[in-house]
Amino acid sequence: MFPFVDGFHWTFGHVLFLSIFGIVLAVIAVTLLVSLRRTARESKPGKAEAVRWKSEFHDLTDDERRCRHDLAGRVDHRHCHNEFDCRQCETHPKLASVTAAEFDFSTYGLDYPMDRFYHRGQTWVKRESDGTLTVGLTDLGKRLLGQPDRVNLPNTGDKVFANGRGWTASRGGVEVRILAPVDGEVIATGGPDSEFYLRVKPLETNPNLAHLLRGQEVSGWVRAQLEQLQILVTPAGSTASLADGGVLMEDLPKAQPEANWDKVYGEMFMAP
Amino acid sequence: MAASAIKPPLTAEIAASERQWIARGLERCSPLAFAGWMAPWLILLGVGIYATYLCLRYGLGATNLDNRFGFGLWIFLDLAVIALGAGAFFSGFLLYILKWKEIKAVISSAVVLGFLCYSGAMAILAIDVGQPLRSWFTFWHPNVHSMLTEVTFCITCYLIVLTIEYLPILLKNRRIKQVPSFLVFEWELHKLIPVMAGIGCLLSFFHQGSLGGLFGVMRGRPFAFREGFAIWPTTFFLFVLSAAAVGPSFIILTTKLVEKITSKRLVKEQVYQTLAKTTGVLLTAYIALKSVDTLIWLNSTSFNAGFAPWEYYEWKPFGGWILFAEIVVFGMVPALMLLSKRIRTRRGVIVLGALLACTGVVLNRFVMTIQTLALPTLSFDEFMTYMPNWVEFAVFGMVIAYAVIVYSLSYRYLNLFPQEKELSAGNVEVNDVPVR
Amino acid sequence: MAAGANEMKKTNRKYRYGMVIDLDACTGCGACMVACAAENNLAPAPAKVTDRTSITLMRVFQVKEPAPMPARKTAFVPMMCMQCDDPPCEHVCPQQAVELDPRTGIVDQMVQRCFGCRYCMAACPFHARYFNWFDPEWPAGMEQTLNPAVAPRMRGVVEKCDLCHGRFHEAQDRAAMEGSDNITYQPACAEACPAQAIRIGDLNNPDDPIQVQIGKPETFQFLVKLGTKPKMYYQSKHDWVKRLAERDSANGNSNRRDA
């Protein structure tokens, strides 16, 4: 193989054979090195969270990737390819102006105030008058967690990134990560018993919240979520109801302790 | 009393912490049941390790191989396993080069299977050669005219490729991906996997072919010798085609087996249909070419070498039936079964067809190794048969056990079937109900 | 070692050694097999060795004529490496452990490079290659009988007849010392044959006495149609023996007995 090895002589066969394998090995090595180099570059805390979200979004099924405009009835069967970040989406502004067909707005007895923006990880964002944003769990999110055993909030001064880790909560031995809906620096923290979980100072003065759900989209989204929850919580072959007098029960883990909450939380909070 | 009071929470604790390694939303049996499943395989592995020790310590005299059957059970099974493992490269080709999105449902499983087939074959080869420590000589003094050199280079490179392809699947484990740099590495590697798939296709094409060439070039063995194009005998191309044909079938068989064992649905019916159809098309092409090749060989190649071809089939137990079985029973029949949509969509046909197709190719590898060596060459030669001894079976059993153990662990802790979550959600998707 | 004052003259002459074996003269005594084993330092076979795992670089086959008993004749066919000019074993070896020496025409097996894949054994139609299935062991004291000119082989490698390469080297040294251009030697089998049925010669040399033998009508080779160009010739005046040459011309000759 090598010219210095005893008895070696170059022939056409050697040149062809060894150059092909040299190229193959080089391609393999370059591929590995490139991904290692990129890894070193992307492994910084903020960037790693962005990559995590990309990777997790990549694994979502088409059903889980329904476009917000599909949820709102403005368009049929559209799936998101922008990691749910409509700020980057070219089609979003065009579709946003489409008037939806007649749509029966309802949040199915859940409390979704319309002064807020909603993120698919069961959080809401509210613009406060002082320019800060408050972040909290939606009504569905609250009912899913019930009274959490433990909540692990970021420290003030920490930065959170949209679709990155916001905080974690655990209930019944299952820990779940809650996605942060916006970019910002945490200036105050609340908790399950407070009005909000986080108060953040946005990184820009006038933050773009175009990626969050509003209005009719919320209705479609809540509906889709409730359907999925029904499937997740119902044991196969039975038709247990999650509703208690028409409205979803307050503390779901308490009402349905036999359900696989690890799985439910994973799906509902988009934490695979 | 205190111990019995503590015990249940302890096992529950183990189960809970073990649960942290299993992907969210996937149902897996209890750690105890899993240990029970693994135990017999671990015993088999142990027996095989002892047999390996015998071979490495006392030489290959511990086996039933002899001067006539220098290649025996091991080489035959290596060839078979590598042909079946072709699903890894071929599904990679379908997914990343031809962009058949459906294949995504089985690609991880195919990669793991490919990795196991190839690493298992390499392990057996390391025991099969007389001086394993000299294996690197092939890289130092390669004879570029030898098909075995090509095989060695390609398989070594391809095993590296398969390892790299396995990495992202491994790094996706629920706990492992919590480490940010592992997650990022997985993501970056994942983006470059099409490059690996392309390289894997190139390497597979050449080594699957060279494994066929291995026998096709043996001009001293007219039963195996074939003419061909340039330096490649026809067996080169037949082996590539047959491996590509049964690769998807082997994926079908293993996935169905896992579904059976775990009583779960892992892959949508449409994916099985696509895989089965792929086998059907390729197997049809293979059998057509194989028939032409057989006719040329029977009527010309063999005569020119001074061998009357009918004589090959006069030696029992290898009668003409073996040729008939290879081409018709395990060739044309499964090809038609899987090719015709009307037949394929019937219940159970896919599994039967895939099983027949895989058997056919394994039989072909058997014929090329064992029958080739059993047939006499000199006019006063004897026809010889050979029976492997327990050491050979045990070493092979060890590789099977290794594959089952690693696959079981992969299935338990890694998300091999992305559709599993969706299919186990209890609902049947509307578009998935077989339309009659 | 004996160089020094005597300048060794390197010859550029190319040899192509071949042998002619007279099957009519061969009595099947097996002296060649014994001489070969002794010359090549073959270890005594361990108890569990069978006919199929033993090493017999030279092997005499007994072949019976396919005729009814009283008329049936027997031939003995000594088989060893045919030193093919187009050796299938050389082409298949992945690490160049087999080499056709262009200076002698001898197919050399570099056992120290062989890793025992046995592909060459599968490729050889003459079954002339043998694998060391066991560690070679000599009973105490027997190592005194070893031939110092030939290195014993270890377990796990393939070996075969190399036309007594050790003897060739001695002859080469001798010729160089004498300043001669003519390297002649006798392999152990040829030397041992009481019937002088085995003759070696240089096929490149038109004046070599072996050429006369090769020219005779009773001379034939085994499996020529395979195209490996063997350099071993056989002679017999009996048609049924000559028909052994090719497989399809010798139907019925398939019962073989080892001598």
Side-chain angles (χ1 to χ4, degrees):
Chain A
M1 177 150 175
F2 304 103
F4 51 83
V5 176
D6 175 48
F8 180 88
H9 44 268
W10 285 109
T11 63
F12 177 70
H14 279 90
V15 176
L16 187 73
F17 190 82
L18 296 178
S19 51
I20 288 177
F21 281 99
I23 292 169
V24 165
L25 282 176
V27 171
I28 295 174
V30 166
T31 309
L32 261 185
L33 287 176
V34 166
S35 43
L36 279 172
R37 214 176 73 98
R38 287 184 184 173
T39 305
R41 211 173 50 202
E42 304 275 326
S43 280
K44 294 178 187 83
K47 282 184 168 177
E49 280 299 295
V51 171
R52 184 182 296 275
W53 170 245
K54 275 185 193 166
S55 164
E56 285 169 1
F57 180 83
H58 178 85
D59 293 341
L60 293 180
T61 60
D62 275 353
D63 260 3
E64 294 166 322
R65 275 200 228 171
R66 277 175 73 189
C67 173
R68 60 195 292 176
H69 302 296
D70 185 355
L71 292 170
R74 297 189 190 103
V75 61
D76 271 343
H77 298 298
R78 192 164 187 279
H79 303 300
C80 180
H81 297 286
N82 278 313
E83 288 121 25
F84 289 150
D85 193 347
C86 315
R87 294 172 294 190
Q88 320 285 333
C89 181
E90 287 177 8
T91 337
H92 170 62
K94 294 178 208 157
L95 287 172
S97 57
V98 174
T99 339
E102 204 58 31
F103 197 92
D104 196 11
F105 184 88
S106 163
T107 50
Y108 307 92
L110 298 175
D111 183 23
Y112 278 77
M114 280 300 109
D115 60 341
R116 297 171 193 187
F117 299 82
Y118 291 92
H119 184 263
R120 300 198 199 208
Q122 317 297 356
T123 50
W124 52 256
V125 178
K126 187 176 169 196
R127 283 185 201 268
E128 298 295 335
S129 50
D130 58 357
T132 62
L133 302 168
T134 45
V135 175
L137 267 188
T138 61
D139 199 8
L140 178 58
K142 280 184 192 159
R143 285 165 201 256
L144 282 166
L145 278 174
Q147 190 59 41
D149 305 332
R150 197 164 45 82
V151 173
N152 192 4
L153 292 165
N155 299 322
T156 44
D158 286 356
K159 278 183 179 147
V160 292
F161 299 94
N163 298 322
R165 171 198 287 259
W167 65 94
T168 60
S170 59
R171 172 75 201 264
V174 181
E175 188 169 59
V176 64
R177 173 205 64 191
I178 315 285
L179 291 172
V182 285
D183 306 328
E185 186 188 327
V186 179
I187 48 172
T189 55
D193 304 320
S194 148
E195 272 293 295
F196 58 86
Y197 270 76
L198 304 176
R199 181 190 284 271
V200 299
K201 199 176 116 213
L203 298 180
E204 303 150 34
T205 39
N206 193 16
N208 184 353
L209 299 182
H211 60 295
L212 298 172
L213 305 180
R214 302 198 62 187
Q216 277 188 340
E217 294 152 5
V218 179
S219 172
W221 173 61
V222 170
R223 185 189 157 81
Q225 291 277 285
L226 286 175
E227 279 172 0
Q228 197 189 351
L229 184 62
Q230 179 75 42
I231 292 163
L232 282 170
V233 175
T234 311
S238 79
T239 48
S241 175
L242 295 170
D244 181 12
V247 182
L248 202 65
M249 283 176 279
E250 286 285 334
D251 189 341
L252 286 165
K254 204 168 148 193
Q256 297 276 336
E258 70 284 359
N260 182 351
W261 286 98
D262 191 36
K263 182 175 179 178
V264 177
Y265 286 168
E267 301 268 311
M268 301 307 285
F269 290 100
M270 293 201 291
Chain B
M1 252 185 86
S4 67
I6 287 168
K7 220 167 189 180
L10 189 68
T11 50
E13 205 173 291
I14 292 172
S17 60
E18 198 243 0
R19 195 75 193 70
Q20 292 304 305
W21 291 86
I22 299 171
R24 253 195 168 115
L26 298 186
E27 305 283 348
R28 293 291 181 265
C29 63
S30 72
L32 200 66
F34 186 64
W37 157 257
M38 296 290 260
W41 299 109
L42 286 168
I43 293 170
L44 192 58
L45 189 75
V47 174
I49 289 173
Y50 176 65
T52 305
Y53 163 77
L54 290 182
C55 290
L56 296 180
R57 171 66 186 81
Y58 298 105
L60 291 170
T63 66
N64 251 6
L65 293 166
D66 57 49
N67 290 324
R68 182 73 167 271
F69 285 93
F71 292 171
L73 177 80
W74 288 340
I75 295 287
F76 150 54
L77 289 171
D78 271 350
L79 288 177
V81 152
I82 286 180
L84 297 176
F89 102 83
F90 199 67
S91 50
F93 173 74
L94 294 178
L95 176 63
Y96 296 112
I97 315 278
L98 299 188
K99 309 270 179 214
W100 290 15
K101 287 271 156 56
E102 279 171 321
I103 304 297
K104 223 168 154 181
V106 289
I107 186 78
S108 301
S109 173
V111 164
V112 174
L113 282 174
F115 175 78
L116 294 174
C117 286
Y118 279 83
S119 52
M122 289 284 262
I124 290 201
L125 281 175
I127 302 163
D128 196 9
V129 297
Q131 291 288 340
L133 294 179
R134 294 182 182 177
S135 301
W136 60 276
F137 286 12
T138 305
F139 300 96
W140 201 248
H141 315 278
N143 173 11
V144 295
H145 305 292
S146 170
M147 286 288 169
L148 196 54
T149 307
E150 210 175 316
V151 170
T152 312
F153 272 73
C154 282
I155 292 193
T156 311
C157 291
Y158 189 49
L159 191 58
I160 298 173
V161 168
L162 280 171
T163 313
I164 295 174
E165 290 186 328
Y166 193 3
L167 263 183
I169 304 172
L170 187 70
L171 294 176
K172 265 255 159 103
N173 171 279
R174 183 171 174 179
R175 283 299 285 273
I176 296 177
K177 74 175 175 187
Q178 299 305 325
V179 181
S181 38
F182 284 170
L183 179 101
V184 176
F185 185 51
E186 185 278 322
W187 177 249
E188 295 301 341
L189 205 52
H190 175 91
K191 285 200 283 188
L192 292 173
I193 284 297
V195 180
M196 288 291 108
I199 287 280
C201 286
L202 176 85
L203 292 170
S204 290
F205 178 82
F206 277 104
H207 76 246
Q208 295 283 0
S210 301
L211 282 171
L214 219 62
F215 296 94
V217 296
M218 294 203 300
R219 59 167 59 252
R221 297 283 184 170
F223 181 73
F225 179 66
R226 298 289 191 283
E227 283 146 314
F229 307 98
I231 57 166
W232 296 296
T234 52
T235 48
F236 182 97
F237 306 97
L238 291 175
F239 266 52
V240 177
L241 197 52
S242 58
V246 293
S249 273
F250 190 61
I251 296 176
I252 295 179
L253 288 182
T254 46
T255 313
K256 287 274 186 192
L257 191 66
V258 178
E259 283 188 341
K260 194 95 193 155
I261 292 172
T262 60
S263 29
K264 275 199 211 59
R265 285 190 62 209
L266 301 173
V267 167
K268 292 182 186 171
E269 182 61 23
Q270 188 50 45
V271 179
Y272 285 123
Q273 291 288 335
T274 307
L275 289 171
K277 191 176 156 192
T278 312
T279 289
V281 172
L282 291 171
L283 198 62
T284 310
Y286 164 65
I287 288 300
L289 291 175
K290 165 98 189 157
S291 307
V292 173
D293 173 63
T294 305
L295 288 174
I296 294 175
W297 164 68
L298 284 176
N299 290 304
S300 144
T301 317
S302 180
F303 275 115
N304 294 342
F307 282 69
W310 51 82
E311 209 202 318
Y312 301 134
Y313 297 101
E314 277 169 10
W315 303 100
K316 301 297 172 244
F318 302 127
W321 65 269
I322 208 163
L323 192 62
F324 179 79
E326 204 191 318
I327 293 187
V328 180
V329 183
F330 299 118
M332 290 179 186
V333 172
L336 282 178
M337 280 168 82
L338 301 179
L339 200 58
S340 148
K341 191 175 179 187
R342 219 163 44 105
I343 306 176
R344 186 175 66 217
T345 43
R346 288 199 192 155
R347 221 181 130 73
V349 169
I350 282 189
V351 174
L352 182 64
L355 194 62
L356 288 178
C358 289
T359 312
V361 169
V362 170
L363 180 65
N364 172 260
R365 304 312 191 244
F366 174 81
V367 166
M368 292 309 274
T369 31
I370 306 297
Q371 195 175 355
T372 298
L373 295 182
L375 291 170
T377 46
L378 291 160
S379 56
F380 46 87
D381 245 0
E382 260 178 358
F383 171 81
M384 283 191 184
T385 51
Y386 139 92
M387 191 63 203
N389 70 354
W390 77 268
V391 173
E392 287 165 82
F393 284 118
V395 169
F396 191 72
M398 171 183 78
V399 170
I400 297 287
Y402 148 79
V404 171
I405 289 168
V406 177
Y407 191 88
S408 302
L409 288 170
S410 301
Y411 173 74
R412 188 172 176 84
Y413 296 112
L414 311 173
N415 191 3
L416 292 189
F417 299 99
Q419 291 176 350
E420 179 184 353
K421 218 189 254 184
E422 203 180 323
L423 290 172
S424 64
N427 66 323
V428 179
E429 322 88 292
V430 181
N431 56 2
D432 193 38
V433 179
V435 183
R436 277 281 162 86
Chain C
M1 38 177 174
N6 277 344
E7 198 191 314
M8 295 252 247
K9 202 179 114 196
K10 208 168 179 183
T11 168
N12 286 325
R13 191 171 143 188
K14 282 200 162 64
Y15 294 85
R16 240 177 97 236
Y17 289 107
M19 298 212 286
V20 175
I21 299 168
D22 187 349
L23 298 182
D24 294 347
C26 177
T27 62
C29 70
C32 52
M33 290 175 70
V34 176
C36 172
E39 167 74 19
N40 289 295
N41 289 336
L42 283 170
K48 59 193 289 196
V49 162
T50 66
D51 173 43
R52 288 164 65 166
T53 47
S54 60
I55 299 178
T56 47
L57 305 182
M58 156 69 92
R59 185 164 193 162
V60 181
F61 289 94
Q62 183 183 27
V63 187
K64 293 193 170 143
E65 187 187 8
M69 192 43 206
R72 184 195 285 173
K73 295 197 183 71
T74 295
F76 294 95
V77 186
M79 295 292 291
M80 73 299 275
C81 173
M82 297 284 138
Q83 313 293 350
C84 305
D85 270 343
D86 192 1
C89 50
E90 186 204 22
H91 296 308
V92 300
C93 177
Q95 37 204 18
Q96 296 181 334
V98 186
E99 203 173 56
L100 175 67
D101 188 339
R103 291 183 309 114
T104 60
I106 296 173
V107 179
D108 285 323
Q109 177 78 12
M110 283 176 261
V111 284
Q112 66 277 29
R113 194 184 277 183
C114 170
F115 80 134
C117 71
R118 305 188 291 283
Y119 188 14
C120 54
M121 295 172 71
C124 176
F126 304 103
H127 315 306
R129 302 183 141 266
Y130 297 85
F131 185 74
N132 284 272
W133 299 100
F134 302 93
D135 276 310
E137 277 170 49
W138 285 269
M142 199 179 158
E143 72 276 1
Q144 303 288 329
T145 67
L146 289 177
N147 175 2
V150 176
R153 279 74 55 196
M154 68 200 303
R155 169 241 285 181
V157 298
V158 174
E159 62 178 272
K160 66 172 207 59
C161 161
D162 57 3
L163 270 187
C164 290
H165 216 252
R167 289 179 176 230
F168 166 77
H169 279 296
E170 268 172 41
Q172 192 182 32
D173 288 350
R174 211 165 41 239
M177 298 264 283
E178 289 162 3
S180 155
D181 204 12
N182 197 14
I183 307 170
T184 53
Y185 77 106
Q186 291 284 308
C189 53
E191 192 179 73
C193 181
Q196 297 190 346
I198 307 176
R199 271 166 284 198
I200 185 170
D202 176 14
L203 305 182
N204 269 354
N205 179 3
D207 303 326
D208 196 296
I210 203 169
Q211 303 289 5
V212 181
Q213 300 299 329
I214 290 172
K216 285 186 177 172
E218 65 257 35
T219 305
F220 65 95
Q221 288 184 297
F222 285 107
L223 301 178
V224 197
K225 286 187 186 172
L226 294 182
T228 65
K229 301 183 191 144
K231 290 198 287 283
M232 296 296 162
Y233 292 83
Y234 291 82
Q235 292 179 321
S236 174
K237 293 201 165 68
H238 301 285
D239 278 349
W240 77 270
V241 178
K242 284 172 82 174
R243 275 202 301 273
L244 295 176
E246 294 293 338
R247 177 100 210 156
D248 55 4
S249 59
N251 269 341
N253 268 329
S254 47
N255 52 340
R256 182 209 79 180
R257 294 285 178 280
D258 290 344

